[in-house]
Amino acid sequence: MIINENLTDLVKTCAYNLGFDVVRITSAEPFLRERSVAEKRIQQGFMDGLPWYTQSRVRRGTDPNVLLPGAKSIISVGLSYLSESFQQPKNGTKIARYAWGKDYHKVIKNKLKGLVSDVEERLAHTVNARWYVDDGPMLDRAVAQRSGIGWFGKNTNILTSSHGSWVFLGQLITDLDLDIDPPLKKDCGTCTLCIEACPTDAIVSPYVLDNQRCISHLTIENRGSISVPMRSLIGEWAFGCDICQEVCPVNLKAMTTNEESFQLNEFDGFDLEKLLEIDEEEFRTLFAGSSLRRAKLTGLKRNLCVVLGNLGDEDSVPVLNRALNDNEALVRSHAAWALGRIGGSIAWQALEAAVGIEQDQEVKKEILTALVMDTI
Ligand code: SF4
Ligand code: SF4
């Protein structure tokens, strides 16, 4: 018992020394309740648009012993990304806070790998371990909840007492025999601020999110068209959405991050409109090591067209006009919608000119619709 206690302390000390803000331990028992909830969400269609999120993935991801045979514990970590120097880009476009620093996958994986090496060095033997940072089958929020990193908010985020919901989560499954932490006895009480603030009504009931309505999904993982009713609701969000976190009272007293990689603000003052005119090579160079690459260049251009349409500034008409010639039909169709929404004689002329030369029938339909649209 004493040995286990010492080992648990050693693991936690090593993790805190590496910079993690919250560190807790849970067992490697299967997550049966979370499995049945996740399976139900799939059946209800709330995970549509994520073809890789299947029943079999959920079954694997809720049984740590399938992911690491012989697993005994999961080290659950949280790392804040709330930066004091955070600035939104120019022109009123908005980017979710988590995307402004370096891509968190690499940062957290390096720390988790470092944790394994440090513990191995102290124990003088190898540790069997497997790590996840939001990119494997493991249900990261289920681990965070059971280990006591935080509790589920009604917006489905994990809320930590010290850093609010502005945290990245990581998990290290190990064969170490560690002492288990209990879940926190906290909840949202009667608060419903996030549900009321969500512009797309994506939080269909407390703790239930319809992915197909969530701006975060629509602007990041979604590879196709954004449905017309959703476009105006997206507002200024060009990548992700922070509204349900910004209104959360738990986040009012959240501590900021000490992690240097998340304090960078590489795109401070960057004019996102420029994205509409760059090619893949420039995109790769400009956004190397950034989470924004998850949306791909075509997805970001699509989102920007929607945002520029919503901002309604006639100064955006020339760049949207040029986007009507983009190689990707997805970009051309959303540029047409934006021009229709902004309106005015120059936008109208651009659409008229494009309708005569557009070969893609879907884009042509969008241009024709844009020509008769009500402006904002
Ligand atoms: Fe709604 Fe935005 Fe929160 Fe999604 S991220 S649930 S769209 S407020
Ligand atoms: Fe919970 Fe209120 Fe925060 Fe929503 S806004 S997650 S209901 S505390």
Side-chain angles (χ1 to χ4, degrees), residues 89 91 93 95 100 238-239 267 270-280 282-284 286-287 290 292-293 295-305 308 319 323 326 331:
N91 296 353
T93 47
I95 302 284
W100 279 94
F239 182 95
F267 306 111
F270 181 75
D271 184 352
L272 274 182
E273 257 185 49
K274 282 188 198 151
L275 268 181
L276 278 173
E277 313 214 64
I278 66 173
D279 60 21
E280 286 289 346
E282 288 170 286
F283 179 60
R284 273 195 296 274
L286 196 54
F287 289 90
S290 162
L292 263 72
R293 287 182 63 170
K296 316 276 184 205
L297 179 57
T298 302
L300 282 174
K301 286 184 176 183
R302 171 203 60 197
N303 302 345
L304 270 171
C305 289
L308 293 179
V319 75
D326 194 275
V331 178

Side-chain angles (χ1 to χ4, degrees), residues 21-22 80 82 160-167 250-251 254-257:
D21 292 307
V22 203
S80 165
L82 183 64
T160 69
S161 303
S162 52
H163 295 80
S165 58
W166 310 112
V167 285
V250 178
N251 281 338
M255 289 160 66
T256 51
T257 186

Side-chain angles (χ1 to χ4, degrees), residues 67-351:
L67 301 172
L68 182 81
K72 289 189 181 145
S73 60
I74 308 173
I75 305 164
S76 172
V77 296
L79 182 61
S80 165
Y81 58 87
L82 183 64
S83 161
E84 274 170 359
S85 61
F86 176 77
Q87 291 273 333
Q88 288 292 4
K90 280 184 180 172
N91 296 353
T93 47
K94 289 185 179 168
I95 302 284
R97 279 173 186 265
Y98 84 81
W100 279 94
K102 289 277 178 210
D103 188 339
Y104 60 98
H105 293 96
K106 260 196 196 156
V107 175
I108 298 178
K109 274 188 187 174
N110 283 341
K111 284 184 189 294
L112 289 174
K113 281 184 213 170
L115 177 57
V116 176
S117 317
D118 290 354
V119 173
E120 283 180 335
E121 201 181 309
R122 298 288 294 275
L123 296 178
H125 65 72
T126 55
V127 173
N128 283 327
R130 193 157 180 187
W131 44 80
Y132 292 99
V133 183
D134 177 31
D135 56 354
M138 180 129 256
L139 295 192
D140 53 354
R141 295 177 195 195
V143 177
Q145 188 275 334
R146 194 170 81 186
S147 63
I149 284 272
W151 67 99
F152 267 106
K154 289 178 187 172
N155 57 10
T156 74
N157 285 313
I158 288 292
L159 306 179
T160 69
S161 303
S162 52
H163 295 80
S165 58
W166 310 112
V167 285
F168 294 124
L169 302 171
Q171 306 81 42
L172 191 63
I173 312 177
T174 78
D175 62 354
L176 295 171
D177 202 355
L178 301 175
D179 294 335
I180 305 308
D181 290 309
L184 300 183
K185 288 185 179 144
K186 286 193 166 191
D187 59 37
C188 293
T190 55
C191 178
T192 52
L193 287 175
C194 53
I195 299 175
E196 287 147 28
C198 176
T200 57
D201 294 330
I203 308 169
V204 292
S205 57
Y207 314 104
V208 183
L209 189 77
D210 182 350
N211 222 29
Q212 289 295 327
R213 297 191 71 85
C214 178
I215 296 169
S216 200
H217 168 74
L218 293 172
T219 57
I220 303 176
E221 293 100 352
N222 170 32
R223 296 280 170 259
S225 182
I226 296 172
S227 71
V228 173
M230 283 293 142
R231 290 179 196 170
S232 51
L233 301 177
I234 280 174
E236 300 90 33
W237 292 98
F239 182 95
C241 166
D242 282 337
I243 295 172
C244 58
Q245 298 196 79
E246 283 169 349
V247 300
C248 179
V250 178
N251 281 338
L252 286 177
K253 42 187 189 310
M255 289 160 66
T256 51
T257 186
N258 291 318
E259 174 57 47
E260 263 179 38
S261 309
F262 304 149
Q263 281 170 354
L264 301 172
N265 201 357
E266 292 177 88
F267 306 111
D268 185 7
F270 181 75
D271 184 352
L272 274 182
E273 257 185 49
K274 282 188 198 151
L275 268 181
L276 278 173
E277 313 214 64
I278 66 173
D279 60 21
E280 286 289 346
E281 205 179 317
E282 288 170 286
F283 179 60
R284 273 195 296 274
T285 310
L286 196 54
F287 289 90
S290 162
S291 294
L292 263 72
R293 287 182 63 170
R294 274 177 72 194
K296 316 276 184 205
L297 179 57
T298 302
L300 282 174
K301 286 184 176 183
R302 171 203 60 197
N303 302 345
L304 270 171
C305 289
V306 171
V307 170
L308 293 179
N310 289 335
L311 290 171
D313 185 344
E314 288 198 15
D315 287 350
S316 303
V317 169
V319 75
L320 287 167
N321 185 4
R322 291 192 291 278
L324 283 177
N325 295 311
D326 194 275
N327 290 336
E328 297 291 337
L330 190 68
V331 178
R332 299 199 299 279
S333 60
H334 289 73
W337 177 85
L339 285 166
R341 191 156 162 80
I342 295 172
S345 59
I346 302 172
W348 194 80
Q349 282 164 21
L351 290 164

